Amino acid sequence: MPLDATAHIYSWQQQVWETLTGRFPRLGHGLLFYGKTGCGKEAFTQQFLAWVLCQNRHVRNLPCGECGSCQWLKADTHPNYVYISTDDDNKKQNAKIKIEKIRDLLPFVQQTVDGWRVIVIEPAEALNIASANALLKTLEEPGENIVIILLAEHYLKLPATIRSRLQHFALDRISPAQASQFLTKHLPEAGNSQQQLLMNLANQMPLQAIEVAKSAWLPMRQDFLQDWKKLVIDKNMPISIASKWNKNLNFSEFSQMFEYLLSDLICVKLNQAIKNIDLNFAQLAEQYSLEQLFNIYGEFQQSKQYLQQNVQSNLVLDQLCIRLMNL
C-alpha cells in the first residue's frame, strides 16, 4: 500500500480523523479500522499512516506530501513502514496471511530508530490461528514509537484475543445526507431515485455506489428479467439465452447481477423491501416457491466453486438457464 492519489479523508470519516490526530501520540499502539467495502477505509488508512510518518504533520494536521518521509512513501521505499497482506499469487477468497510474515516483523518491531514506525495488516480477517497468535505477542510487547493498524471488513471474524488489544474505529458510519452529497458531486446526472437504487445495490456505501454506476450489468437487468420470464413461462431456448449472456457479460459481472435479482425475488416472496426498486418482479415471483428460489441460490453458489476447478463459465450458465425453466 504505497501512498498514492487515493489517500483521502471522506466527510463521514472527519470525526474519526480528528479523534486520532487529536489524541496522538497518546493513542494505543494497536488500532483497528473497520467498515464495509466502499466506505473508503483503505484511503483513510493511507492518509493516516502518511500523517504519522510525516515530518511536518503538525503544520496543518495533514501529511505535507513533500518531506523526505512523504516522498519515500510515494516511492514505496519507506524504511519505517511495513505492509502485510495475503500473497499476490494467493488472492483466492479464503487466502490466509502466513505466520512467517508476522514472524518477520520481529526485527522491525524491536529495532530502535528515529521517528515513528507503522505496520498495516490487511485484510485482518486473513490472519489464521497461528499468525494471529504470533501477532498477539507483538501487540503485547511492542517496541517504542510503533503503530500497528489492522484493516477489516468483518471485524468479528478476528479472534477475541486480538480484538481486545486494539482500539476500534468504524469508518463506514455514513448519514443519508453525506451519501447524497457525495453522489451528487460525483454522479451529477443521477437523480434521487437513481441515487437510491445505486445505494441499495452498494450496501449503502457511496464509493461502491460509484462502482455500481459504472458496471456493465446495471443497464442490462431488465433485459435479463425478460429472458428469465421467457425461460420459466415459455419453457424455451435455454442454451440460446445462456449463450447470449455468456457473450454480454463476464461471469463475475453476470454473477453480481443475477444474485441481486434472485435476492429480490426471495424478498418479494417474503414481503420484504427489494433493492432493484426500478424493476417489477411480481410475474416472475408467481412462478417459484420460496424453497425453489433458495435451492437455485444454493446451486448457483456451488457452481461458482466449480469455476475455481476450471469448469467453463458457459457450462455453468447453460445449467443455470435450464434450472430457471423450473421444469
Side-chain angles (χ1 to χ4, degrees), residues 91-94 251 301-312 316:
K91 286 292 183 194
K92 293 198 291 291
Q93 230 170 352
N94 297 317
F251 187 78
Q301 298 310 312
Q302 186 73 47
S303 67
K304 280 160 67 174
Q305 292 177 351
Y306 297 149
L307 289 177
Q308 292 181 354
Q309 298 155 17
N310 297 325
V311 172
Q312 290 180 321
V316 171

Side-chain angles (χ1 to χ4, degrees), residues 5 53 60 68 151 159 168 172 207 253 263 288 312 315 323:
L53 296 171
R60 55 188 191 103
L151 250 73
H168 301 197
D172 61 355
L207 300 180
E253 292 165 337
S263 297
Y288 298 94
Q312 290 180 321
L315 298 178
R323 181 72 177 84

Side-chain angles (χ1 to χ4, degrees), residues 264-282:
D264 274 353
L265 262 186
I266 290 169
C267 286
V268 170
K269 301 296 277 187
L270 293 169
N271 292 321
Q272 291 179 350
I274 59 171
K275 289 189 154 88
N276 291 277
I277 49 178
D278 57 338
L279 301 178
N280 188 335
F281 293 90

